[in-house]
Every structure is written in structure tokens, then in C-alpha cells.
Amino acid sequence: MTVVARTIAQLRAAVAELPGAVGLVPTMGALHDGHGQLVSLAAGENTSVVVSIFVNPLQFTDLGDCDDYRHYPRDLDKDVAFLESLDVDVVFAPAVEEMYPDGLPQVWVRAGEMGERLEGASRPGHFDGVTTVVAKLFHLVRPDRAYFGEKDAQQLAIIQRMVADLDFDLQIRPVPIIRGADGLAESSRNQHLTRQAREQALVLPRTLSALRERAAAGQPLDVEGARATLSAAAGVELDHLEVVDAATLLPVDEVGAGALAVAAIHVGGTRLIDNVRLLPPSA
Ligand code: PAF
């Protein structure tokens, strides 16, 4: 049976009853197959699974005083039914006042320079909001493992670094990107796309996969050409396309084990991100 905890006290009581290793899947709800994949992995590696559902205002523009936060898709009943069908043990779905009872926290976990590049350049403070809420969730649930999608490559790298820098006693488990049949990476934001916008958005996975194929064929990457393709695409506004090291997020010139092409675009008023690994021909 799935326990739904709305308060920290209820969460602590529910977690205290859980047997064996605990896997945590932090989410902001609007769950899709990508989240299902995180939960399946967590269920395979742990005795118990906790999923948090919390649309965290700290990681939005103006600390949530923005349309993106107000219009972020929320449907708790549907999400809980989905998680019940996956046999999740505990769902933690707190109100904002439960997580931040005194309004904004005084003490934050700062993502540092890693949080200022790429996504962070367009969304100042975003990753400070993410690290602060994830640190709270780690303290509240005390999981043995926590699961994060590779689609949010920068978030994953920053959280791995936070765990190392602040000595959190848990394992971070990255989970590969889930794509729709058309190639678009699964995201809660895809719900905002009209059919036409979704069609236009496909230039993102196609451009990234062309880069991956060039890398695998040993051809020069032509990142500028890829940027030009995205900039010229109908209905699309390019935010960034960079090749970086997956762990440090610093730019790299060569393809190799850690090289990642990361990109963000706006389409139909929705911001989408995606990435692919760039491996050389021998890999
Ligand atoms: O990736 C997300 O959904 C959020 O950034 C997270 C990790 C749940 C923190 O609010």
C-alpha cells in the first residue's frame, strides 16, 4: 500500500517503518514514463521506494513569482494513482509552507560556478534552489540511493558534486533519458506543447543525434553548424548548444568518454533541454 505523507512528521513516521535500503526519487510531479523508469530502477535496487512531489518555488524565476511556476502542471491525484500502480511505498507531497515555514530559507546550498553556466546562465539562481531542496529531501528521507534523470545533465552533475563536497552518505544513480517514439526526450513540460510545437521541437533531438553520429564516424563535430540549424528552425529559439565534460560541465574540444553535447531551446513558449553523449569511433 502506498502511504501519502503531506507533512514532514507524516513522512518521518512512514520512513521509520520502511524495511531495508531506501531509494528516493525526487520529482516535481506531472509524472511521465521517464519518472516511471526512475521508480523502476529504484525498486530494482532497494527494498523500499520513496517519491517526493514538490514544485519547488526556489528554483523558478523570482523564487516562484512567475508564470512558469504558476502554470507548472500539477495533478496530485493522477500522480499518486500512477505511483500506486508502481507499488511505491511512500509519496511525500508537502505544501510550500511545510517545506519553507518561515518563507524563504536564510541558509541555502549554493551550486557555485557549476550552477552559473549553461542552464544557469539563462536561469540565475535556479540550481541554488535545486541544491537547497534536494539537500532538504536527503536529510528528511535519508535514502541509501537517489535517482536523477540524465536529461537534466547539469542538475545531475551538480548534485553529484554536492554529495561529494558535503559528504552526504548516499549513492546518486543516474538514469538514461527516455524518448518518445518521435525522439523527443520525455519531460513534464512536453504537456505544454501543441502538436505543431512538438513537431518543431524535434529539430533538437535530431540535431543532437547528428552530432553524435558525426562523433561516432570520426568526423569534425561542426558545433557551429548545429547551432545554425537550431537557430534557423521554424518556431525555435536557441538558448545554448555546447560540448562539455559531463562531470565538470566545462567546455571540451574533443569527443571522449565524458563528452556531452547539451542544448536548450524555446519552442511555442516552452523551454526544452536535451543532451547526447559524444563517443569516438573506437568506443
Ligand atoms: O528535476 C526535478 O524535477 C527537480 O529539479 C528536483 C530534482 C525534483 C528538485 O526540485
Side-chain angles (χ1 to χ4, degrees):
M1 205 195 78
T2 303
V3 173
V4 179
R6 302 304 305 265
T7 65
I8 287 172
Q10 288 167 355
L11 173 72
R12 289 198 202 276
V15 166
E17 298 293 312
L18 293 178
V22 173
L24 170 66
V25 181
T27 82
M28 297 206 301
L31 303 178
H32 50 69
D33 289 348
H35 295 108
Q37 181 76 2
L38 299 179
V39 171
S40 298
L41 241 112
E45 295 184 339
N46 302 276
T47 316
S48 309
V49 178
V50 177
V51 176
S52 62
I53 298 178
F54 179 60
V55 186
N56 172 38
L58 300 192
Q59 67 191 75
F60 285 78
T61 305
D62 293 335
L63 304 168
D65 188 10
C66 62
D67 283 346
D68 194 21
Y69 175 70
R70 281 187 282 271
H71 298 156
Y72 198 86
R74 294 167 172 89
D75 190 341
L76 184 60
D77 291 345
K78 189 168 164 215
D79 286 344
V80 169
F82 178 64
L83 295 172
E84 277 170 347
S85 78
L86 297 175
D87 280 336
V88 163
D89 298 279
V90 179
V91 177
F92 178 45
V96 172
E97 298 71 32
E98 183 71 14
M99 288 296 270
Y100 306 119
D102 301 322
L104 288 181
Q106 276 296 314
V107 178
W108 292 55
V109 178
R110 300 275 178 213
E113 210 176 287
M114 283 176 87
E116 286 162 17
R117 312 191 57 249
L118 306 170
E119 282 296 284
S122 307
R123 307 177 70 190
H126 166 71
F127 288 107
D128 295 342
V130 171
T131 44
T132 300
V133 79
V134 170
K136 280 172 75 80
L137 291 168
F138 286 173
H139 288 307
L140 291 169
V141 177
R142 296 172 168 268
D144 295 278
R145 301 182 185 85
Y147 294 78
F148 292 88
E150 289 182 344
K151 183 176 77 66
D152 296 297
Q154 187 170 8
Q155 169 171 283
L156 174 62
I158 289 170
I159 287 169
Q160 279 171 322
R161 188 63 197 251
M162 176 182 88
V163 164
D165 284 353
L166 301 185
D167 300 307
F168 280 92
D169 190 14
L170 81 163
Q171 253 186 353
I172 299 300
R173 304 287 288 135
V175 181
I177 297 176
I178 299 285
R179 296 184 183 278
D182 58 6
L184 194 67
E186 291 280 6
S187 164
S188 306
R189 291 172 194 270
N190 293 355
Q191 294 185 23
H192 294 311
L193 298 174
T194 61
R195 188 180 297 191
Q196 188 198 24
R198 183 166 181 126
E199 190 58 41
Q200 291 172 329
L202 296 182
V203 69
L204 178 59
R206 286 176 187 155
T207 304
L208 289 175
S209 101
L211 278 177
R212 188 185 48 212
E213 279 159 27
R214 290 181 76 94
Q219 294 166 352
L221 281 184
D222 191 17
V223 177
E224 266 314 317
R227 284 192 192 113
T229 303
L230 289 172
S231 297
V236 169
E237 193 191 317
L238 173 63
D239 185 296
H240 64 259
L241 168 60
E242 305 275 347
V243 178
V244 299
D245 179 86
T248 64
L249 306 173
L250 292 172
V252 290
D253 293 329
E254 290 186 11
V255 300
L260 202 64
V262 293
I265 61 171
H266 293 266
V267 56
T270 300
R271 182 185 169 81
L272 298 177
I273 59 172
D274 199 351
N275 66 79
V276 292
R277 289 262 172 192
L278 300 177
L279 293 171
S282 53

